[in-house]
Structure formats: structure tokens, C-alpha cells
Amino acid sequence: MKTRMFQDDRRPDVRQMLAATFGLIAGLAIFFLLERSVTPRYVLTTAIDARIPFIAWSWFVYVAFFPFVIALAAYARPSAFAAFREAVLIVFVLGVACFLMFPEAVPRPDIAEIGNAFVRRRLARMWQLDLAANGFPSLHVAVTCLACRMLVDRRRIVAAAIGLLICASTLTLKQHTVADVLGGFVLAAVSALWVRRRSLRGRLA
């Protein structure tokens, strides 16, 4: 006899999917504008960062962040999506505050060393839009972590595995430093905890 523990016949929620898409585009536009309005003053690279290899092919994993978040939003339960949306807003506001207070310069390798022409062009185009600035904390990591929390049961394990690869790609693509990634994890945890406690207080009120 099948249990309903791992069954979920929900169809994708188009409104949630569109909301996530619009939010990502709006957030990205604001982030790009902010990069061009600050002067990076800090470098947070460590000896650990120097040991992490530059893997140009991880660009494919890195950009998978966008369809990944949208897909999880489409299949999340409304209550989980609402919590995700609120937590992401907190992450973005706190992230922007960090960018303004601690503008970081993220060292990047020379793309001329990339052998594959397709990947070299894609990465060159991305770095024309996304400047080597405002790396701490990593919003890429923070939003990925919050997106994984939207799913339940065994699907969360699969989502977490993919999310971990996306987070790792921020290091191998030299988009972020280890400090940036850790900052993203902490930022996601703090925002998720705040939203959860606020929700519990609302239920008890």
C-alpha cells in the first residue's frame, strides 16, 4: 500500500513561477546598478581560495541557479513560497547594506586561458554585466539555500544536492570567495529563522 508521505500531485503554480521570475530579474537589475555605483575597497580572498581551481565549465552549473529557483517556486506549497519570498526580501535588503558598507573586489582569472570558445564568450559576456564587485555576502548562495527549503520530504534532498553544486560553482567560477559563500549561508539562516519565528508569533497571537 502506497503512503502519501512522498506523493505530491500538485501542478506547477504559474503565479508563483512568474513572481519568482520577476523577483530575480528585478533583483539582478538592482544588483548590477549597485555594482556600478560603489568603489570596491576590500579583498576577502584567503589561502583556501587560492587552492580552489578555476573551472570554466562550472558556468553551466552557476547559471542553472535561475531555472532552479523558478522551478522550485513553481512546485512549492503557497505557505512555503510566501516564507521564501519574505526571507529573500530580508536577504536582499541586508545584502545591499553589506555591499554599501563593505564593498568587496572579487579577483577574477584571465578568461583568455579558457580553451572552449563557447564558454569563453559566455563568461566574457557575463562578466561584462556582472562586475567583479559586491561579493560579500553571496546572494547567489543565500537565495539558493532559501529555495531548497521550499520543498519537503525526499524532494528536498535532491534539491539540496543540486543547490550544493550551485553554491560550489560560485567558488570554482571565481564569482565569490569562501568568505562570501559563508556569509551567504549565514544570511540565509538568519532570514529563515526570523521569518519562522515571526510566523510562530502570528499563530500564537
Side-chain angles (χ1 to χ4, degrees):
M1 178 178 179
K2 294 183 178 180
T3 66
R4 298 186 61 84
M5 181 179 297
F6 298 128
Q7 294 180 4
D8 192 346
D9 298 326
R10 294 184 69 252
R11 295 180 179 180
D13 190 313
V14 177
R15 288 181 297 180
Q16 292 181 181
M17 183 174 63
L18 292 176
T21 302
F22 175 78
L24 288 174
I25 293 174
L28 200 59
I30 296 172
F31 179 77
F32 286 163
L33 289 174
L34 187 61
E35 281 186 324
R36 287 156 176 78
S37 64
V38 300
T39 301
R41 298 195 303 268
Y42 303 96
V43 177
L44 302 180
T45 53
T46 64
I48 299 177
D49 293 292
R51 292 179 176 273
I52 298 175
F54 170 56
I55 305 175
W57 283 95
S58 57
W59 173 84
F60 291 98
V61 181
Y62 182 83
V63 298
F65 161 83
F66 299 99
F68 176 72
V69 172
I70 293 170
L72 295 192
Y75 285 96
R77 296 187 180 279
S79 58
F81 179 74
F84 166 76
R85 184 176 55 195
E86 185 175 354
V88 167
L89 181 59
I90 296 171
V91 159
F92 192 76
V93 171
L94 294 179
V96 168
C98 287
F99 298 153
L100 294 174
M101 292 187 294
F102 309 104
E104 178 195 8
V106 184
R108 287 175 174 171
D110 183 3
I111 61 172
E113 66 184 57
I114 302 175
N116 185 278
F118 175 83
V119 177
R120 185 170 62 249
R121 287 194 296 269
R122 300 287 77 74
L123 194 54
R125 177 57 178 165
M126 186 177 80
W127 282 351
Q128 286 178 352
L129 296 172
D130 183 10
L131 304 182
N134 292 348
F136 180 84
S138 171
L139 298 185
H140 211 83
V141 169
V143 175
T144 297
C145 293
L146 292 174
C148 291
R149 294 184 72 254
M150 283 193 286
L151 297 187
V152 296
D153 302 329
R154 63 184 177 189
R155 293 178 306 164
R156 180 176 288 180
I157 299 176
V158 177
I162 297 173
L164 186 60
L165 290 176
I166 292 175
C167 292
S169 73
T170 67
L171 295 172
T172 56
L173 199 60
K174 300 303 177 180
Q175 281 289 107
H176 288 287
T177 65
V178 172
D180 301 339
V181 171
L182 293 177
F185 280 127
V186 172
L187 190 57
V190 169
S191 63
L193 181 61
W194 190 91
V195 170
R196 182 179 179 182
R197 288 184 175 179
R198 182 173 179 274
S199 176
L200 290 175
R201 286 197 300 267
R203 294 174 187 174
L204 297 174

